[in-house]
Amino acid sequence: MVEFLRFRDDVPHEEPAVTLDAFLGQTNATAVRLESDEDARKLLPQLGQLALIEIAFPKFRDGRGYSAARILREAGYEGELRAAGDVLVDQIPLMRRCGFDSFVPEAAIDPAALERALGRYDDVYQKAADGRSPVWALRHG
Amino acid sequence: MYKYDQYDQAIVDARVEEFRDQVQRRLAGEISEDQFKPLRLMNGLYLQLHAYMLRVAIPYGTLDSRQMRMLAHIARKYDKDYGHFTTRQNLQYNWIKLEDAADILADLASVEMHAIQTSGNCIRNISSDQFAGAAADEVTDPRPWAELLRQWSTFHPEFSYLPRKFKIAVIAAEEDRAAVKLHDIGLQIHRNDAGELGFRVFVGGGMGRTPMVAPVIREFLPTADFVSYMEACLRVYNRYGRRDNIYKARIKILVHEIGAEEYARQVEEEWAHVKTLGLDPPAGEFERIAAHFAPPAFEGGLSDDLDRTDPDFALWLDQNVKAHKQPGYAIVNISLKPVSGIPGDASSAQIDLMADLAERYSFDELRVTHAQNIVLPHVKKADLYTIWQQLEANGLATPNLDLISDIIACPGLDYCSLANARSIPVAQKIADRFAGLDRQRDLGELKLKISGCINACGHHHAGHIGILGVDRKGTENYQLLLGGSGAEDASLGRITGPGFDEDGVVDAIERTVEKYRELRTEGERFLDTYRRVGMDPFKEAIYG
């Protein structure tokens, strides 16, 4: 069972994440944690200095973090984007599509089930933050 | 009709295996019921009072005979030999075993069907006009746009955990046969002054415990921007829709609380960003889809004459057959509302028979209506008598379309774990009371809708006459509402006053319609009379 998943090749960031309020009030933090009700767009002016953004999932039903992740990727953020909290194996493929590339699930995840889930669909219907070509693009390639 | 290509088929096949995996993990105890619930719900599987209920998607209510026969086959093999057509143009099975669910999905996938997103807090099956492609009043066939939405919304990575469920309907006519203003998003395709097609966008309608008629947030959305604009609408909702209270989580509450103008402003702002991302498929993709919905090869030069000598046939013609845009053709409505029947239910044999008729006489197409009936959309007038005879022989020729016994009813407390009261027996008692066809025809168009709880699956708010079943100190009690409409003149019904028991509400309806007969002017429907005279005369008639 796995407690930390990372889909990046660079060295994991060591600095602990600060709250959004703390981040906005100081100039040199490089890691921040967004709660699910916080506006990801507040980070946009200072995206360049961030190496890690952690987005909280207090409950798996709370899907605001999916939009937050895409907004950050759409704005050009290339650092680590971490989903932390009530993250379930069947959600990770969707989260990967929204731009998350690391995961700290509350309950450890079965790597075999995750591998099956991530390899399930060869193709997708819509563009998202993962660069995959949707089937409409493949059809008219 | 749309046909899957290899991509569509591969995605639906993969879904079957994904669900099989999820069920196996649940049965093995690897995931809790709480964790399994959103997974099975996203696949239309509910745990009801007596068994699992499986809801099968019928995208925009269109299917062919092969698919229809598969629905009958599944009913026979895995259920109790019948299915229930729903107000969202879907079909539900009421007696499913969890262990069989993946096999059923595999059977569905073999005929290009699925149960994807027929429940859960995601974008649900897209609904549409049951007369699409056949109605004289449409500006275009709305279904290619609905199919585009089906594909865009399927496993949408950002919108699979919305605050609440999300229902979208698309029409392309002035007459609204799909209740678009009572949807989370309603889309009406129309032409602008330059003759171009675009969407009138309604957002924030719905029924449930806080019914709302949707305001327009954009009068004309060019078709090229369709997907990116939908993306912006959903993103604003996903970020700002309420998540603190399940009863306030639908988009209608967000739109109501911040106002339609402010919601529209936020959508425009988001869209200004989103449309730069290249999310809209090229025109070629729409054209590829639209080619599947090309009109069938209608014969030209057919006569519109009909032999009306059989009086029962003539009755059915006048009530259940509607005008087609092609001369010599007609639209046949098959009522699933026989007296003493369960609204929307059909046996496997009846489903097979309707499939046979569609294959032989209607270019292999059927439609499901939100009023829980079936349509054969493209029938030669010369074949109508033969079709009627076969329907008649199988209990499917009840000539009551849009009459008081053409009742929409939710499954109610006979099946549903949310219900407070039974709906089906009330529907049956009303249909029995008004069984005389002359009386029904004299009352004219009268849309009666029954819900067994405040969630309003039976559309009671939108009934010309609506009934809401509630639980009052442990006994079933029925409130009566008047004046609702789900059509282009959408309105919400008002409660008449104190509720009734099961027989009492039937009596109250009888007093209501007798009052209407007394007050109506020539050609006035019940709804028109109610709107003219208001609630008071009816209240007095009901409560004395």
Side-chain angles (χ1 to χ4, degrees):
Chain A
M1 302 300 275
V2 185
E3 290 173 348
F4 177 53
L5 289 152
R6 196 161 184 277
F7 296 81
R8 296 178 67 91
D9 296 330
D10 56 356
V11 180
H13 194 70
E14 296 294 338
E15 190 191 328
V18 300
T19 65
L20 177 64
D21 281 348
F23 176 76
L24 296 175
Q26 70 185 68
T27 53
N28 57 354
T30 56
V32 66
R33 174 181 162 96
L34 274 185
E35 299 306 322
S36 65
D37 61 350
E38 289 175 335
D39 182 1
R41 287 209 162 97
K42 289 194 172 151
L43 295 175
L44 298 195
Q46 290 159 270
L47 268 192
Q49 76 185 65
L50 281 164
L52 169 68
I53 301 174
E54 180 176 294
I55 296 178
F57 284 84
K59 292 179 198 155
F60 68 80
R61 290 186 182 81
D62 185 343
R64 286 175 283 193
Y66 296 85
S67 288
R70 277 191 72 182
I71 284 166
L72 293 168
R73 291 302 188 202
E74 286 162 7
Y77 175 66
E78 291 179 352
E80 183 169 339
L81 189 51
R82 179 180 292 171
D86 196 3
V87 173
L88 306 176
V89 62
D90 293 283
Q91 297 182 306
I92 290 178
L94 298 175
M95 290 179 167
R96 292 283 292 131
R97 294 216 65 213
C98 289
F100 286 105
D101 54 13
S102 78
F103 302 89
V104 184
E106 247 162 42
I109 277 174
D110 173 6
L114 178 63
E115 198 184 325
R116 290 197 301 275
L118 285 172
R120 186 76 64 193
Y121 294 96
D122 290 336
D123 291 300
V124 293
Y125 274 125
Q126 56 295 96
K127 266 178 104 166
D130 57 351
R132 290 172 81 178
S133 289
V135 294
W136 55 256
L138 302 175
R139 283 166 177 152
H140 300 276
Chain B
M1 259 191 69
Y2 187 72
K3 299 281 179 217
Y4 285 2
D5 67 2
Q6 75 270 25
Y7 298 110
D8 300 308
Q9 190 65 52
I11 286 169
V12 167
D13 289 343
R15 179 52 160 174
V16 176
E17 292 318 307
E18 180 177 47
F19 192 64
R20 199 181 292 282
D21 185 322
Q22 290 167 345
V23 171
Q24 275 159 5
R25 278 185 279 144
R26 174 70 196 118
L27 292 173
E30 289 170 30
I31 48 177
S32 68
E33 174 54 26
D34 191 46
Q35 291 170 339
F36 180 56
K37 190 175 165 189
L39 302 178
R40 65 169 164 75
L41 282 183
M42 220 123 10
N43 229 336
L45 197 65
Y46 287 76
L47 188 55
Q48 292 292 23
L49 287 175
H50 312 293
Y52 279 100
M53 180 271 274
L54 178 67
R55 183 181 294 147
V56 175
I58 301 176
Y60 31 91
T62 294
L63 72 175
D64 64 19
S65 62
R66 187 177 62 128
Q67 294 171 324
M68 191 75 162
R69 287 193 191 102
M70 180 56 80
L71 296 178
H73 166 77
I74 291 168
R76 239 179 242 119
K77 184 169 176 188
Y78 301 102
D79 203 284
K80 297 189 176 178
D81 208 26
Y82 68 96
H84 177 74
F85 290 94
T86 78
T87 54
R88 298 219 68 253
Q89 301 178 298
N90 291 320
L91 178 126
Q92 292 176 183
Y93 296 111
N94 287 311
W95 306 94
I96 294 300
K97 293 189 189 73
L98 181 58
E99 294 82 344
D100 290 335
D103 290 337
I104 297 171
L105 296 182
D107 282 353
L108 290 170
S110 75
V111 294
E112 303 176 18
M113 293 184 87
H114 60 73
I116 294 166
Q117 291 169 213
T118 53
S119 55
N121 292 336
C122 51
I123 302 169
R124 302 289 188 89
N125 185 36
I126 312 297
S127 58
S128 188
D129 184 344
Q130 68 269 19
F131 294 168
D137 63 342
E138 70 181 14
V139 295
T140 186
D141 190 327
R143 293 172 301 163
W145 298 106
E147 173 61 24
L148 198 69
L149 280 182
R150 183 190 77 82
Q151 297 190 23
W152 163 75
S153 61
T154 297
F155 309 137
H156 195 294
E158 187 177 336
F159 307 134
S160 290
Y161 292 89
L162 294 168
R164 201 74 178 84
K165 58 188 168 184
F166 205 91
K167 301 175 181 178
I168 304 177
V170 194
I171 61 169
E174 278 306 312
E175 188 179 335
D176 179 2
R177 291 172 283 261
V180 294
K181 293 176 199 170
L182 296 168
H183 280 73
D184 295 287
I185 292 183
L187 298 160
Q188 183 182 30
I189 303 170
H190 66 123
R191 283 189 197 281
N192 65 7
D193 293 339
E196 300 154 332
L197 291 175
F199 297 88
R200 184 174 287 128
V201 183
F202 298 90
V203 179
M207 293 188 255
R209 67 183 62 206
T210 317
M212 306 248 183
V213 174
V216 175
I217 66 145
R218 195 181 167 97
E219 188 56 35
F220 191 84
L221 173 71
T223 54
D225 299 321
F226 186 40
V227 166
S228 55
Y229 192 83
M230 289 296 106
E231 191 103 5
C233 287
L234 267 294
R235 179 174 285 178
V236 170
Y237 171 55
N238 191 44
R239 299 187 77 206
Y240 300 111
R242 286 182 61 172
R243 292 177 185 264
D244 59 326
N245 180 341
I246 187 177
Y247 302 119
K248 296 186 173 177
R250 295 289 288 270
I251 195 173
K252 63 191 172 188
I253 303 293
L254 173 68
V255 172
H256 182 71
E257 285 181 353
I258 67 175
E261 257 178 57
E262 172 59 15
Y263 173 76
R265 190 194 64 75
Q266 291 186 17
V267 169
E268 293 292 325
E269 192 174 290
E270 188 66 47
W271 184 45
H273 158 67
V274 161
K275 74 175 162 186
T276 64
L277 302 172
L279 304 181
D280 289 293
E285 174 62 358
F286 173 74
E287 286 155 18
R288 183 192 72 86
I289 293 172
H292 288 283
F293 295 92
F298 295 120
E299 280 177 48
L302 296 179
S303 163
D304 279 316
D305 291 342
L306 283 165
D307 179 355
R308 299 173 54 93
T309 46
D310 184 329
D312 290 335
F313 173 61
L315 261 181
W316 176 79
L317 266 186
D318 292 341
Q319 203 61 49
N320 287 27
V321 177
K322 299 291 173 191
H324 197 283
K325 64 181 176 187
Q326 179 73 17
Y329 285 82
I331 301 171
V332 167
N333 290 276
I334 302 174
S335 168
L336 300 181
K337 319 288 176 65
V339 171
S340 304
I342 294 174
D345 274 16
S347 70
S348 305
Q350 288 177 322
I351 294 172
D352 274 338
L353 184 269
M354 292 187 278
D356 291 346
L357 293 175
E359 187 176 26
R360 198 167 314 159
Y361 301 110
S362 185
F363 292 97
D364 205 24
E365 260 196 66
L366 301 121
R367 309 288 173 78
V368 183
T369 83
H370 87 271
Q372 304 179 278
N373 292 315
I374 301 294
V375 167
L376 301 176
H378 309 298
V379 168
K380 266 190 225 171
K381 287 188 176 167
D383 293 328
L384 283 171
Y385 190 68
T386 311
I387 290 170
W388 172 75
Q389 286 178 308
Q390 295 191 45
L391 291 173
E392 178 75 9
N394 289 276
L396 290 167
T398 311
N400 62 347
L401 191 79
D402 294 337
L403 299 180
I404 192 169
S405 64
D406 183 9
I407 296 167
I408 290 181
C410 71
L413 199 51
D414 290 296
Y415 294 100
C416 180
S417 55
L418 300 174
N420 299 123
R422 289 169 301 162
S423 304
I424 293 166
V426 180
Q428 289 169 328
K429 280 192 174 167
I430 295 164
D432 285 341
R433 179 76 63 94
F434 293 92
L437 202 58
D438 289 343
R439 188 175 184 199
Q440 289 191 49
R441 287 174 61 82
D442 172 65
L443 294 173
E445 182 187 300
L446 216 168
K447 299 192 178 183
L448 201 146
K449 310 187 184 196
I450 307 174
S451 303
C453 81
I454 200 155
N455 291 310
C457 297
H459 294 189
H460 65 275
H461 298 294
H464 297 179
I465 295 180
I467 297 173
L468 167 64
V470 296
D471 176 279
R472 213 186 55 177
K473 297 174 192 152
T475 57
E476 291 162 291
N477 188 268
Y478 295 91
Q479 294 180 348
L480 189 62
L481 296 87
L482 303 180
S485 169
E488 59 280 6
D489 60 351
S491 59
L492 302 169
R494 280 179 54 210
I495 295 175
T496 56
F500 310 89
D501 65 14
E502 198 173 290
D503 291 312
V505 78
V506 183
D507 292 337
I509 288 168
E510 190 154 34
R511 289 195 288 273
T512 302
V513 300
E514 286 309 318
K515 192 69 189 171
Y516 153 67
R517 289 183 67 237
E518 187 187 312
L519 295 172
R520 69 182 168 188
T521 59
E522 183 70 27
E524 208 175 44
R525 301 175 303 166
F526 169 80
L527 183 63
D528 304 325
T529 303
Y530 171 83
R531 284 176 175 169
R532 180 171 56 79
V533 305
M535 176 67 90
D536 288 348
F538 293 103
K539 222 171 172 165
E540 202 186 303
I542 295 165
Y543 298 101

